[in-house]
Amino acid sequence: KQEVTQIPAALSVPEGENLVLNCSFTDSAIYNLQWFRQDPGKGLTSLLLIQSSQREQTSGRLNASLDKSSGRSTLYIAASQPGDSATYLCAAFNNAGNMLTFGGGTRLMVKP
Amino acid sequence: DAGITQSPRHKVTETGTPVTLRCHQTENHRYMYWYRQDPGHGLRLIHYSYGVKDTDKGEVSDGYSVSRSKTEDFLLTLESATSSQTSVYFCAITSAGATDTQYFGPGTRLTVL
């Protein structure tokens, strides 16, 4: 059974700092890896999707990498802003293509 | 947003009563999903659908049933609600194939007393 872990569970940084969020998964046989953002009381917003054949994806100040062999993905946020404060979740799609397994999330606070 | 609405947005009910949550989408997406989100457990898949009348179980399907009689509607039913089903329920769709990016609805907060 796939297990996805995100460390740390919470992170507080000053505005402007570059930061890395970590995601690890136990079964490397994944179809893709997805990163989401969740604001309090809201649904999830898709940020990036990395196919299993890819090493990284970029969108604006966000860069996500994937290392299947080590079972790890990272989300890099450049020049963090208070508006980046949210919970960030990663999720691994199994090879059967029918189930997305989520990590517990990292709650990020960017202080002005 | 991918044109996903959920109703009701909030509901309080009593143990043993039936509850139906509705997910509605406006863009004819084939794949639809129901998740629950709980502190300490994250998001877990309950059931999913890959077409009208085509559904399958997810990780935590016990106590839940689903129906999809139209492309746009995916219903989640708790036949006899229990306090352990108190949770926030999210519906999601994929915009293209089954393994594509998932887009989520705003959620339904369900409290079972």
Side-chain angles (χ1 to χ4, degrees), chain B residues 16-20 63-66 76-82 85:
Chain B
T17 60
V19 176
T20 295
Y64 301 95
S65 62
V66 289
L76 177 71
T77 297
L78 291 65
E79 301 289 348
S80 178
T82 67
Q85 294 176 311

Side-chain angles (χ1 to χ4, degrees), chain B residues 6-8 11 18-24 32-37 44-48 55-56 58 60-68 73-79 85 87-91 108 110:
Chain B
Q6 293 185 232
S7 59
K11 186 172 182 67
V19 176
T20 295
L21 308 182
R22 180 186 185 227
C23 177
H24 179 77
M32 300 184 75
Y33 306 82
W34 276 109
Y35 291 90
R36 60 178 289 175
Q37 186 175 34
R44 293 176 291 172
L45 181 66
I46 305 172
H47 281 279
Y48 65 98
T55 64
D56 207 345
V60 289
S61 58
D62 287 348
Y64 301 95
S65 62
V66 289
S67 65
R68 193 167 177 202
D73 288 326
F74 190 30
L75 305 180
L76 177 71
T77 297
L78 291 65
E79 301 289 348
Q85 294 176 311
S87 186
V88 181
Y89 291 86
F90 288 101
C91 174
T108 293
L110 175 67

Side-chain angles (χ1 to χ4, degrees), chain A residues 3-46:
Chain A
E3 292 183 4
V4 179
T5 304
Q6 292 185 247
I7 295 174
L11 181 63
S12 180
V13 300
E15 181 177 5
E17 192 163 296
N18 302 324
L19 58 101
V20 174
L21 306 181
N22 297 297
C23 171
S24 61
F25 45 95
T26 55
D27 185 353
S28 63
I30 63 170
Y31 200 92
N32 62 45
L33 193 291
Q34 302 187 27
W35 281 93
F36 297 87
R37 167 188 173 136
Q38 186 175 29
D39 293 288
K42 306 288 187 182
L44 281 68
T45 300
S46 176

Side-chain angles (χ1 to χ4, degrees), chain B residues 92-111:
Chain B
I93 60 94
T94 55
S95 59
T99 55
D100 207 342
T101 299
Q102 290 200 2
Y103 295 92
F104 284 75
T108 293
R109 182 173 295 276
L110 175 67
T111 301

